[in-house]
């Protein structure tokens, strides 16, 4: 599945990454999969540092990701 | 009735105010807020600011924030504008305007909308300085401000 990145995370990892995972899986499981695939960047995927959104809504670790869902990770927001 | 706009173009406060007042009788109170790019940011040498956003999610989150405000207060109209792209010191960044029958709702809702925008809407600021580009860090004060609204 494709995962989108924004802001500082995008500068480090690129706009998106393709990951082989079996769906459905939780956001927590996806964070773990990303940390395992990109071990040098593992700290970036910790919930304290990076927020997650599924289908453009901020979500927590237990949220389930299904086929066709849009998933994004990004730093805490700084708009306004 | 509500206006949500995420764009590069600047806004004119008078025009937004005129829109908020367009239904005479429905608005005894109009409160407007605008946020500008400050001189001093992360360093004191900010040349410009770049604002990145998550297209699609920004509009969706602003709509959700307004929905929450409407559940809490009786509001007539809400207008929220957030600019993206490259801005310089003194430029307008964000506008929040609220009209309601009475001032309590207008003042509180305007503050609420800004406090939520600053912690939930997917925008990220980067300061362009003579010494390099620096991503602005999220401020704990913004989280605290937003948490105050959850006491109710």
């Amino acid at each position: 599945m494709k995962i989108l990145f924004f802001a500082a995370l995008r500068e480090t990892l690129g706009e998106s990454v393709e990951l082989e995972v079996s769906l459905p899986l939780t956001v927590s499981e996806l964070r773990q999969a990303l940390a395992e695939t990109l071990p040098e960047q593992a700290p970036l995927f910790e919930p304290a540092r990076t927020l997650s959104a599924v289908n453009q809504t901020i979500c927590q670790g237990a949220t389930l990701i299904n086929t066709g869902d849009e998933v994004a990770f990004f730093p805490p927001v700084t708009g306004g | 009735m509500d206006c949500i706009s995420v764009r590069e173009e600047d806004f004119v406060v008078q025009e937004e105010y005129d829109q908020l007042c367009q239904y005479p009788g429905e608005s005894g109170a109009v409160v407007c807020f605008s946020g500008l790019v400050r001189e001093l940011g992360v360093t004191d040498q900010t040349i410009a600011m770049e604002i990145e956003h998550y297209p699609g999610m920004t509009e969706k989150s602003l709509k959700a924030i307004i929905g929450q405000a409407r559940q809490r207060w009786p509001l007539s109209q809400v207008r929220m504008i957030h600019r993206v792209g490259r801005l310089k010191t003194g430029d307008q960044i964000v506008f929040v305007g609220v009209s309601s029958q009475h001032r309590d709702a207008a003042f509180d809702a305007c503050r609420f909308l800004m406090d939520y925008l600053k912690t939930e809407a997917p925008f990220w600021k980067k300061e362009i300085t003579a010494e390099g580009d620096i991503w602005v860090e999220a401020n704990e004060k913004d989280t605290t401000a937003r948490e105050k609204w959850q006491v109710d």
Side-chain angles (χ1 to χ4, degrees), chain A:
Chain A
M1 63 171 297
K2 183 172 162 185
I3 300 149
L4 305 175
F5 300 116
F6 290 91
L9 217 55
R10 173 187 55 74
E11 285 184 344
T12 308
L13 302 169
E15 283 187 3
S16 66
V17 87
E18 283 281 347
L19 207 64
E20 282 286 328
V21 291
S22 50
L23 298 167
L25 87 171
T26 66
V27 167
S28 292
E29 286 166 343
L30 183 60
R31 284 181 186 272
Q32 201 162 336
L34 281 164
E36 283 164 15
T37 308
L38 306 163
E40 334 78 64
Q41 320 290 356
L44 290 177
F45 302 115
E46 284 160 25
R49 283 185 70 162
T50 297
L51 304 177
S52 56
V54 174
N55 295 326
Q56 303 185 348
T57 302
I58 288 186
C59 62
Q60 304 307 318
T63 302
L64 213 55
I65 302 164
N66 293 295
T67 312
D69 283 347
E70 178 169 301
V71 181
F73 287 95
F74 41 78
V77 303
T78 56

Side-chain angles (χ1 to χ4, degrees), chain B residues 124-143:
Chain B
W124 299 274
K125 291 174 179 163
K126 183 162 75 169
E127 293 205 11
I128 315 298
T129 78
E131 290 147 10
D133 300 350
I134 306 166
W135 287 100
V136 173
E137 299 256 318
N139 194 332
E140 256 184 45
K141 270 198 274 186
D142 293 328
T143 311

Side-chain angles (χ1 to χ4, degrees), chain B:
Chain B
M1 266 218 289
D2 294 338
C3 163
I4 293 166
S5 179
V6 176
R7 85 268 185 128
E8 292 190 356
E9 296 74 36
D10 203 354
F11 53 85
V12 177
V13 173
Q14 183 65 53
E15 287 174 9
E16 300 307 316
Y17 175 81
D18 289 343
Q19 289 293 318
L20 289 163
C21 295
Q22 70 176 297
Y23 300 114
E26 279 186 24
S27 306
V30 181
V31 172
C32 297
F33 169 84
S34 52
L36 317 176
V37 180
R38 282 193 297 273
E39 183 73 54
L40 300 177
V42 175
T43 78
D44 57 4
Q45 296 207 41
T46 302
I47 298 170
M49 172 169 288
E50 270 179 13
I51 302 182
E52 180 173 335
H53 73 297
Y54 182 166
M57 185 175 169
T58 36
E59 292 86 349
K60 193 169 172 174
S61 89
L62 293 179
K63 193 169 172 194
I65 291 165
I66 293 173
Q68 289 186 51
R70 283 192 171 283
Q71 280 186 345
R72 296 173 75 128
W73 295 281
L75 305 175
S76 178
Q77 286 198 78
V78 180
R79 297 181 73 81
M80 292 182 85
I81 301 169
H82 200 298
R83 295 177 67 195
V84 293
R86 194 143 173 141
L87 302 177
K88 52 187 198 312
T89 302
D91 279 352
Q92 300 183 126
I93 304 171
V94 61
F95 174 85
V96 175
V98 179
S99 66
S100 65
Q101 292 281 21
H102 302 286
R103 70 184 184 283
D104 280 354
F107 274 121
D108 286 351
C110 190
R111 184 67 196 244
F112 171 93
L113 289 166
M114 269 310 296
D115 287 346
Y116 268 68
L117 183 156
K118 288 194 79 74
T119 52
E120 288 195 6
F123 297 98
W124 299 274
K125 291 174 179 163
K126 183 162 75 169
E127 293 205 11
I128 315 298
T129 78
E131 290 147 10
D133 300 350
I134 306 166
W135 287 100
V136 173
E137 299 256 318
N139 194 332
E140 256 184 45
K141 270 198 274 186
D142 293 328
T143 311
T144 309
R146 177 240 163 108
E147 276 164 9
K148 281 195 198 144
W149 295 106
Q150 287 164 358
V151 173
D152 295 284

